[in-house]
Amino acid sequence: MLIPQTSTSLIHTLRLRRQELANLIDFPAILWSGSNSPRNFPANPFPFRASSHFLYFAGLPLSNAAIRLEAGKLELFIDDPSPSSALWHGEMPTREEIAQKIGADVAGPMAELESWVEDAATIAIQDAATWTQQTQLLNRWILPQSPPEGIDLELAKAIVTIRLTHDQAALTELRKAAAVTVEAHKAGMAATPQAKVEAEVRAAMEGVIIAHNMTTSYNSIVTVHGEVLHNEQYHHLLQPGDLLLADVGAETQMGWAGDVTRTWPVSGKFSSTQRDIYNVVLAAHDACIAKIHPGVEYGDIHLLAATVIAEGLVELGILQGNPQDLVEIDAHALFFPHGIGHLLGLDVHDLEDLGDLAGYEEGRERSDRFGLGYLRLNRPLRPGMLVTIEPGFYQVPAILNDPNLRSKYQNIVNWQRLSEFADVRGIRIEDDVLVTTEGSEVLTAALPNSASAVEDLVN
Ligand code: GLY
Ligand code: MN
Ligand code: MN
């Protein structure tokens, strides 16, 4: 377990975060970090990623550890390295040394945790070994797929309140993730003329991230089939007429994420149909970012994107009707079927391990409308929130060939005209936008997004 350096200012930040939690709950909380999942045997594990809730309050990506928080006090539970560990992994810091790095008040081995579980709330960890341990120690079902209840729900709500907006230490990390993400995208564009398959562009992009000693914050999407929203295949040949959609983000050692998408022409030049649609998506992107201000409903930003896309598609002759009316009948969702974005922080889709608790203001629920069901954030914006803005246009066969949708929108879509845009399978433009007191700051603004600037970067 490699332990990144911590600083006195980080320890101070961690103390403030714990104090904030103490101000919101009057019972202890135990947060597990999670454990290494073995691939074929324990010494060959999948890459470890500590739980984000643990990272937020403990500040270090420790595995097989837990912290107990009560009244601002931090107790760390972690076993000292086994005697054979130094042979395979080098000299490891002791429990006491780790405790000092994170400003823990008390430290003990994992076995001692058993004596401290009474009346404690927790949050379910994704790996089965850990949620089984949580369930056994707390003597109630703790399942990552089930919504929290009782004091676990109260704890989850308190953590949402704290993590919805970012403190300065978090923003420093998020800016680092954004900067490396931007460099990765530039490298991907520059690598495209020499690349024969998607995998080579992915390698160029992830190479930048790895060279900064970071990891990807989710599985990269680097594909000429952008219409497959979460495509994780990289074997397709790059053909001169293709658009390449790259959704790639860096994650810092402390776990903070970037999440950016650009779409560029493999040849270095958009066709006129590709450029037309690209500019529709970009117009939606720019309009949404211009609207971001404290107090603005994120749901209204989604509807703005839908309206701008509908307007653009009407102008191009793909949709027929009044744009506002088209949005009301969800016609935009034929081509823009997902939400305009989500919270970003320690996770891409930050806090979504808690379902919609963070994304949706209390009392609101997901709509089952075709055009709103994938809206992941439905709250008024507040300074310190970091959100993505990621409009797109896709020709998804599962949508456009669906007999029910096809008949519902038979006279709304000019199918003949649409067929002229066959070289546009998927376009998305995504940036990371911080809500400020005055409006917004695009943390990934150093990556150009106009059609001509993107062409220049490829060339
Ligand atoms: N990278 C996943 C997303 O943009 O939501
Ligand atoms: Mn995103
Ligand atoms: Mn993304």
Side-chain angles (χ1 to χ4, degrees), residues 218 221 247-248 259-261 342 348 388 390 428 430:
Y218 49 91
I221 300 164
D247 184 346
V248 176
D259 180 12
V260 166
T261 308
H342 49 83
V348 71
T388 66
E390 49 181 305
R428 179 163 63 254
E430 175 176 28

